[in-house]
Amino acid sequence: MVRQFEGDHHAEGLRFAIVASRFNDEIVAGLLAGATNCLLQHGASDDSLEIFRVPGAFEVPGMAAKLIRLNRYDAVVAIGALIRGDTPHFDHIASQVTMEISRVSVDSGVPVAFGVITCNTVDQARARSGPASGNKGWEAALAAIEMANLHKVIG
């Protein structure tokens, strides 16, 4: 029989850092609320969560890497909102942030869940950050819980 491994969604006993950008704060506030609510509803305690605010999405990967080096967290949740404008700036930042968050996670061996949304319009961003189903902050936090637990299962 093939053995299968997966993490569960129980956050008790796990420590999380959330790195959230301040740019597009109306949107990020919804993502941050979603992530925090998810972690708490799945058993994380208030004192097992720490939130770090950075200027923009570009700064998220660097802060995630710094926090991981402290060896205090089982997972990091990266939160931000990039909304397309009239210049190619969006494409460069979105690509770089995505690649760097992935690199930080792979290089460190610590799960970094991707909750940075990339949208064409403010309406799309609001739909992905609101309190209704589909909040990408909630989804990133749930992925962080599952991956932290899977890391514990495999050692």
Side-chain angles (χ1 to χ4, degrees):
M1 174 180 254
V2 176
R3 295 176 63 196
Q4 180 174 317
F5 302 90
E6 39 183 287
D8 62 37
H9 293 148
H10 300 290
E12 305 95 312
L14 298 174
R15 295 195 44 84
F16 299 92
I18 302 174
V19 181
S21 68
R22 287 191 315 269
F23 197 79
N24 290 319
D25 195 47
E26 171 200 349
I27 304 302
V28 173
L31 295 168
L32 184 55
T36 304
N37 289 338
C38 177
L39 293 168
L40 293 173
Q41 287 184 30
H42 285 86
S45 61
D46 283 336
D47 63 346
S48 69
L49 306 178
E50 293 182 335
I51 299 169
F52 300 85
R53 298 302 300 262
V54 297
F58 190 79
E59 290 76 28
V60 169
M63 179 55 66
K66 170 73 173 172
L67 295 170
I68 287 168
R69 286 192 296 273
L70 299 175
N71 267 341
R72 292 196 311 226
Y73 306 101
D74 296 293
V76 175
V77 181
I79 301 288
L82 296 166
I83 302 170
R84 186 177 299 281
D86 295 330
T87 69
H89 181 74
F90 167 89
D91 298 308
H92 298 297
I93 297 297
S95 177
Q96 191 66 32
V97 168
T98 301
M99 287 189 303
E100 287 301 308
I101 289 173
S102 176
R103 184 190 58 76
V104 166
S105 184
V106 170
D107 287 354
S108 70
V110 174
V112 181
F114 191 79
V116 177
I117 60 172
T118 55
C119 300
N120 290 317
T121 67
V122 172
D123 287 340
Q124 288 176 345
R126 286 185 181 130
R128 288 164 176 78
S129 64
S133 177
N135 181 296
K136 299 304 180 187
W138 175 285
E139 292 176 9
L142 194 61
I145 296 167
E146 185 173 339
M147 289 303 296
N149 282 312
L150 182 56
H151 278 235
K152 287 192 179 298
V153 165
I154 62 175

